[in-house]
Amino acid sequence: MSLVVAKNLEKTYRLGDILVTAIRDVNFTIEPASFVSFVGPSGSGKSTLLNMIGCLDPPTMGSLRVAGRDIVRMDRQQAARFRGEHIGFVFQDFNLIPILTVFENVEYPLLMVQNWPAPARKKRVGELLEAVGMGDQGNKYPRQISGGQKQRVAVARALVTNAGLVLADEPTANLDGETANRIIHLMKKMRDAFNTTFVFSTHDPKIMRDAEIVFTLEDGKLLKRRNDEGGAHG
Amino acid sequence: MVNVIKIAARNLRRYQRRTLLTSALIALGVVAVLLFISITGSFKQMMVGQITDAMIGHLQVHRNGYLAAIDNLPLNRNLNRKQVAKVKQILGETAEIESFSMRIKLGAMFSNFTETTNIRLNTVIPEQEVKTVPLLIDRIIQGEKEESLLKKGQILIPELLAKGMKVNVGDSIVLVANNKDGSVNGQTFTVSGVLEGITGPGGRDGMIHLDDARQLLRINDVEVSEIAIRLKNMGDLPGVFSGLKAALESIRDKNDRPVFELHTWEKLSPFYNIAKMIDLMTLFIKIMLVAVVLVSITNVMIMAVYERINEIGTIAAIGTLPRRIMALFVVEGFLLGVVGTAVGTVISLISIAAINAAGLTFDFGRQSNLVLAPTIGAGDVITIVLIVIGIAVAASVQPAFKAARMDPITALRHV
């Protein structure tokens, strides 16, 4: 069963008196444990699409199923619960909580979203920090670590709840080339280790090369799909 | 919930200066209110105590219409034997009553054999009077402060009269009075003491034995102008008042009008208005405290939400339920209230102890060197603590609600 199924997806915004169509008649599927990238220029609709998949923004038209659930008609509460259970997020600006240590940032979803008991939390957070190479940095605060390290912590936080899908909106935009590469390879490694689907947006050609499936967007339309074998589908 | 409290506490620590300032403002408000309540409260309690325990008693029973004419001290509105017996029976059946004292009040001419002036007299049965108004003995500023108060043939004269007429303890004086039939009679008395004057009705009256009054006024039967009542516990006043009022009002004359009237000290003493004003001022101070807490906490929480919009977007995106986000901010407000209240209460209690230790004195009316002894009841402290914490929580609700309702995408885009 596909993890994400989008059919005739459309998103329209109202900007004053003008209706702006951000996504037009988009259809795609994403399989479990895949490594997918949405690429395209600024304003092409990458972030809007990721927000819709992440239950943060409902589509105006069409159907969208994630992990077997129709997410189009979810209310705020249901959407929050669904995100907490099934989706992890990695943000461009890392978005770690500054008052919490690295350990506590990774622990946060287990503590405040999924209510895990303390021993299980400690074990799981320890595993994830080790997996992303931050095992010895748990007591540091976000201000005490580098950008690349912050994004590693963000990846650990996205994976800690056993989410089947991690959405990363321009995860390397604030990192230098080498660090960006490392983060993408870390995400791939995590996909292999945890069988988690990673979907990220980027406009960096070097990064998009690492994606196994690339969806190209332009003006809200899905132009083509390229598999890692090099095949492109219109 | 513990985790919410931990995170809220850390958020408060993140903005240390702001947290300190807001807590200090709340603490200052709490100190102002608790000190005001303790000082005015003890002042009020002392004055009420003086009035009830040294003069009026907690309640008084008169014949209906007596109080309206009390300035003339009308003898023709005294209670008769049958009426007195009825009141005594009702009072005897009321368990909350400690004691009662029967009095005849009259006006007379006072002569020191060279000068004559008028005097208002409170005539009492000393044993009853001392039980009913126990501080009366303390008002004797010259002469023996005896438990028996005074004997037959003796008079306690008011301080001003003693000074004005140059009368000392041991001097003989003459009282001349009209009885209710209009005939005049005179009687010699020995001054046994001088009574300190206090504010309120009867506070500058002289005092003689009830039996002497009956002789002076040629009263052959039982007659009483008023019956002062002391309760075991002043807190029972409202309940006892309504019970006695119902019992006394059920006794009617032939025209179906109540025979008796019953009043609390509040109705009898003008100080009650001052006491009411003190209560009103306390209320205003409490309202000001509420306003201070409300404005400062709302302001801080609005700022906290505004500064953390991006963070709210992050925690909302990763699945934190809106009610949990709301709880985070409400708990922050709650903690600010708790910290401010705790600090304010500790400072207040230390200040009250310091004022008591310093033994500050003040003057009130003609009384000087009254020692300021502020006290505060646990009830008042708990009330203020609950009000402040309640308002702190209430003030956080709107900003917290705003945070909980925030659209994650808009919040995440916020820089």
Side-chain angles (χ1 to χ4, degrees):
Chain A
M1 190 179 71
S2 299
L3 184 66
V4 182
V5 182
K7 282 184 187 162
N8 310 115
L9 216 53
E10 201 160 312
K11 180 71 190 179
T12 311
Y13 292 107
R14 181 171 285 280
L15 276 178
D17 294 337
I18 305 162
L19 277 179
V20 178
T21 305
I23 297 291
R24 301 161 195 264
D25 196 24
V26 166
N27 295 279
F28 63 88
T29 57
I30 296 172
E31 300 308 315
S34 49
F35 201 69
V36 180
S37 175
F38 282 93
V39 299
S42 241
S44 59
K46 305 185 296 286
S47 296
T48 305
L49 206 51
L50 251 58
N51 287 340
M52 285 197 287
I53 299 169
C55 298
L56 293 169
D57 202 6
T60 313
M61 276 175 68
S63 83
L64 182 56
R65 294 183 77 83
V66 177
R69 289 273 305 274
D70 178 4
I71 61 165
V72 175
R73 271 168 284 278
M74 282 182 178
D75 62 23
R76 287 172 65 88
Q77 195 87 358
Q78 289 169 329
R81 268 187 216 286
F82 186 80
R83 287 195 302 270
E85 282 171 24
H86 298 282
I87 304 174
F89 288 88
V90 177
F91 303 96
Q92 179 180 333
D93 297 318
F94 325 123
N95 289 29
L96 299 181
I97 300 168
I99 54 161
L100 303 180
T101 62
V102 162
F103 186 94
E104 289 164 339
N105 263 286
V106 179
E107 188 187 27
Y108 183 93
L110 301 180
L111 189 72
M112 298 294 280
V113 180
Q114 293 200 346
N115 301 313
W116 282 37
R121 265 195 335 252
K122 202 175 167 189
K123 186 167 176 277
R124 177 73 179 158
V125 175
E127 282 169 9
L128 261 298
L129 285 178
E130 284 297 334
V132 298
M134 293 290 289
D136 55 347
Q137 310 283 319
N139 290 327
K140 289 189 174 167
Y141 283 90
R143 64 176 182 277
Q144 296 169 315
I145 57 176
S146 68
Q149 287 176 314
K150 281 178 191 167
Q151 205 58 304
R152 282 169 180 273
V153 176
V155 169
R157 181 177 66 184
L159 289 167
V160 75
T161 57
N162 288 317
L165 174 64
V166 171
L167 301 172
D169 191 5
E170 304 271 7
T172 56
N174 284 341
L175 301 172
D176 60 78
E178 197 185 324
T179 314
N181 242 328
R182 278 193 204 139
I183 289 297
I184 291 299
H185 284 115
L186 173 73
M187 283 163 53
K188 217 174 215 174
K189 194 176 142 195
M190 293 299 108
R191 188 278 310 266
D192 296 339
F194 298 102
N195 273 332
T196 307
T197 302
F198 275 79
V199 178
F200 62 98
S201 65
T202 184
H203 54 261
D204 183 342
K206 286 182 211 158
I207 299 301
M208 68 181 81
R209 274 204 298 269
D210 289 313
E212 292 163 358
I213 298 165
V214 177
F215 290 106
T216 306
L217 284 161
E218 200 173 298
D219 290 335
K221 280 186 173 175
L222 193 60
L223 291 184
K224 58 181 177 180
R225 171 187 162 136
R226 190 213 82 199
N227 289 349
D228 55 354
E229 293 85 12
H233 308 267
Chain B
M1 196 61 194
V2 176
N3 299 318
V4 172
I5 292 172
K6 262 158 69 175
I7 292 175
R10 287 210 194 168
N11 275 318
L12 288 177
R13 276 216 306 271
R14 172 179 358 187
Y15 305 107
Q16 270 182 6
R17 195 175 299 175
R18 188 196 301 162
T19 302
L20 277 175
L21 277 172
T22 312
S23 305
L25 197 62
I26 295 169
L28 196 69
V30 170
V31 170
V33 172
L34 288 180
L35 280 185
F36 185 83
I37 291 175
S38 68
I39 291 171
T40 54
S42 55
F43 170 75
K44 192 177 105 178
Q45 206 170 18
M46 187 176 65
M47 295 315 297
V48 171
Q50 282 244 330
I51 288 161
T52 56
D53 294 355
M55 193 165 60
I56 292 178
H58 297 145
L59 291 156
Q60 287 188 359
V61 182
H62 300 99
R63 188 168 153 189
N64 199 9
Y66 182 86
L67 203 65
I70 197 166
D71 284 345
N72 305 323
L73 301 174
L75 293 169
N76 60 354
R77 288 191 181 271
N78 284 349
L79 300 167
N80 61 30
R81 173 187 287 275
K82 202 174 146 195
Q83 290 160 345
V84 169
K86 193 69 201 170
V87 175
K88 280 172 79 173
Q89 184 203 329
I90 292 169
L91 298 184
E93 289 164 356
T94 311
E96 293 90 344
I97 291 175
E98 168 89 33
S99 64
F100 56 88
S101 175
M102 288 179 285
R103 300 162 172 174
I104 296 175
K105 299 179 90 83
L106 66 137
M109 297 303 291
F110 176 97
S111 172
N112 62 0
F113 300 102
T114 52
E115 285 178 280
T116 301
T117 187
N118 61 322
I119 183 172
R120 293 168 62 99
L121 288 163
N122 194 12
T123 74
V124 300
I125 300 167
E127 309 86 69
Q128 287 183 0
E129 188 71 5
V130 167
K131 274 191 194 165
T132 307
V133 283
L135 292 183
L136 176 64
I137 291 172
D138 293 337
R139 286 178 56 205
I140 300 172
I141 51 176
Q142 283 177 40
E144 290 296 315
K145 288 187 179 184
E146 289 177 12
E147 276 301 312
S148 57
L149 191 65
L150 50 72
K151 298 183 182 72
K152 286 179 192 171
Q154 290 183 333
I155 181 170
L156 290 166
I157 60 169
E159 187 183 0
L160 281 177
L161 192 75
K163 279 183 190 160
M165 298 288 282
K166 296 184 181 64
V167 176
N168 295 311
V169 175
D171 290 353
S172 289
I173 58 97
V174 173
L175 291 179
V176 178
N178 280 66
N179 71 4
K180 66 181 169 190
D181 302 322
S183 65
V184 180
N185 193 23
Q187 197 171 322
T188 306
F189 288 86
T190 305
V191 176
S192 65
V194 175
L195 277 179
E196 180 191 31
I198 59 170
T199 313
R204 288 169 199 175
D205 290 358
M207 195 168 278
I208 59 172
H209 199 288
L210 193 95
D211 289 346
D212 289 333
R214 293 178 64 217
Q215 200 176 328
L216 181 67
L217 298 171
R218 292 177 178 145
I219 296 171
N220 297 318
D221 203 354
V222 174
E223 260 189 47
V224 169
S225 307
E226 73 183 18
I227 301 173
I229 301 163
R230 179 177 180 77
L231 303 182
K232 288 173 183 159
N233 179 0
M234 202 172 168
D236 296 333
L237 188 61
V240 174
F241 175 73
S242 32
L244 283 181
K245 194 172 164 67
L248 291 169
E249 274 187 356
S250 67
I251 301 160
R252 303 266 161 173
D253 63 13
K254 57 187 175 194
N255 296 318
D256 199 32
R257 282 183 303 209
V259 174
F260 306 105
E261 58 185 22
L262 176 74
H263 298 289
T264 63
W265 72 270
E266 294 156 349
K267 172 82 177 173
L268 298 163
S269 169
F271 181 76
Y272 178 65
N273 292 327
I274 298 174
K276 289 291 280 183
M277 278 178 66
I278 290 172
D279 290 344
L280 202 63
M281 283 194 289
T282 307
L283 179 70
F284 277 122
I285 295 277
K286 280 181 187 167
I287 290 170
M288 280 164 65
L289 174 70
V290 166
V292 164
V293 175
L294 196 68
V295 171
S296 52
I297 299 263
T298 305
N299 186 38
V300 164
M301 294 316 297
I302 285 173
M303 284 302 294
V305 170
Y306 182 76
E307 286 171 351
R308 302 214 296 265
I309 289 178
N310 196 267
E311 209 173 299
I312 293 165
T314 306
I315 61 172
I318 62 179
T320 311
L321 294 177
R323 65 163 184 272
R324 204 148 231 197
I325 297 175
M326 185 158 173
L328 274 170
F329 285 91
V330 170
V331 169
E332 265 185 56
F334 168 79
L335 290 180
L336 268 176
V338 168
V339 170
T341 312
V343 172
T345 305
V346 169
I347 294 174
S348 303
L349 296 179
I350 292 171
S351 304
I352 289 168
I355 293 170
N356 279 310
L360 300 176
T361 58
F362 68 101
D363 297 342
F364 179 74
R366 294 186 58 256
Q367 297 173 80
S368 53
N369 290 327
L370 293 167
V371 178
L372 187 64
T375 53
I376 186 114
D380 281 325
V381 176
I382 291 167
T383 306
I384 293 299
V385 165
L386 292 181
I387 286 176
V388 172
I389 293 174
I391 294 297
V393 169
S396 318
V397 167
Q398 193 275 337
F401 185 70
K402 197 179 162 190
R405 295 285 305 162
M406 216 171 263
D407 172 35
I409 297 175
T410 316
L412 283 166
R413 282 193 196 125
H414 185 86
V415 182

